Amino acid sequence: MTATESSIATARAAARAAADKIAQDIVGLDVSERLALADVFLIASAPSERQVNAIVDGIEEELGKKDLRPVRREGRSGGRWVLLDYSDVVIHVQHEEDRVFYALERLWKDCPVVDLQLGENDSAKAAVSSESE
């Protein structure tokens, strides 16, 4: 089983919104074969709590335009790691220090990477190539 087209479309829209807010290392992982509760994990990071929250605001605004609202939101007040749960897509926006410490990509390294269709120079491409080295 792989992630649904609907989940991938949601992840791509969220990734574009995150990129618009200068998110770093944007990566999508197809977790559908490992988890029953979600199809895609989207992970992005930022160097400050303020930027983490700005990225979260941008994602919620963009997905809200598609009538999508998170069923759960955690970590907003701290701004270090915000989780937005859109049922099939779970978005993690982390402070870059927390991202290195928790290393979600390493925990889910067996999962295929989702092509987020971001531009050639976007951080997602850099993150994918650095993970494979």
Side-chain angles (χ1 to χ4, degrees), residues 117-123 125:
Q117 297 182 343
L118 296 173
E120 187 78 19
N121 296 323
D122 283 317
S123 59
K125 300 287 184 189

Side-chain angles (χ1 to χ4, degrees), residues 18-19 43-44 54 66 69 76-77 118:
I43 307 166
K66 300 175 183 308
R69 307 273 183 267
R76 179 62 190 235
S77 62
L118 296 173

Side-chain angles (χ1 to χ4, degrees), residues 14-64:
R16 283 190 299 278
D20 287 347
K21 297 294 183 179
I22 322 297
Q24 301 172 348
D25 301 325
I26 304 166
V27 177
L29 300 174
D30 181 341
V31 296
S32 61
E33 290 189 17
R34 305 278 187 259
L35 286 177
L37 59 104
D39 282 350
V40 177
F41 274 5
L42 182 70
I43 307 166
S45 53
S48 71
E49 290 88 351
R50 179 179 285 185
Q51 192 170 3
V52 166
N53 285 326
I55 293 165
V56 168
D57 289 343
I59 291 169
E60 286 188 303
E61 181 179 325
E62 183 61 31
L63 295 183

Side-chain angles (χ1 to χ4, degrees), residues 1-5 7-8 29-40 88 110-114:
M1 177 179 232
T2 60
T4 65
E5 285 301 317
S7 298
I8 292 171
L29 300 174
D30 181 341
V31 296
S32 61
E33 290 189 17
R34 305 278 187 259
L35 286 177
L37 59 104
D39 282 350
V40 177
D88 292 340
D110 295 342
C111 296
V113 174
V114 173

Side-chain angles (χ1 to χ4, degrees), residues 24-27 45 99-100 105-106 109 113 122-133:
Q24 301 172 348
D25 301 325
I26 304 166
V27 177
S45 53
R99 183 155 180 190
V100 169
E105 291 97 330
R106 205 174 20 193
K109 67 183 175 188
V113 174
D122 283 317
S123 59
K125 300 287 184 189
V128 171
S129 64
S130 69
E131 288 289 323
S132 60
E133 292 176 357

Side-chain angles (χ1 to χ4, degrees), residues 87-107:
S87 294
D88 292 340
V89 178
V90 177
I91 302 167
H92 302 269
V93 183
Q94 298 176 296
H95 189 285
E96 61 189 12
E97 293 169 357
D98 292 352
R99 183 155 180 190
V100 169
F101 183 79
Y102 290 102
L104 293 178
E105 291 97 330
R106 205 174 20 193
L107 289 173

Side-chain angles (χ1 to χ4, degrees), residues 79-90:
R80 298 287 298 184
W81 181 349
V82 180
L83 180 140
L84 299 172
D85 183 350
Y86 285 88
S87 294
D88 292 340
V89 178
V90 177

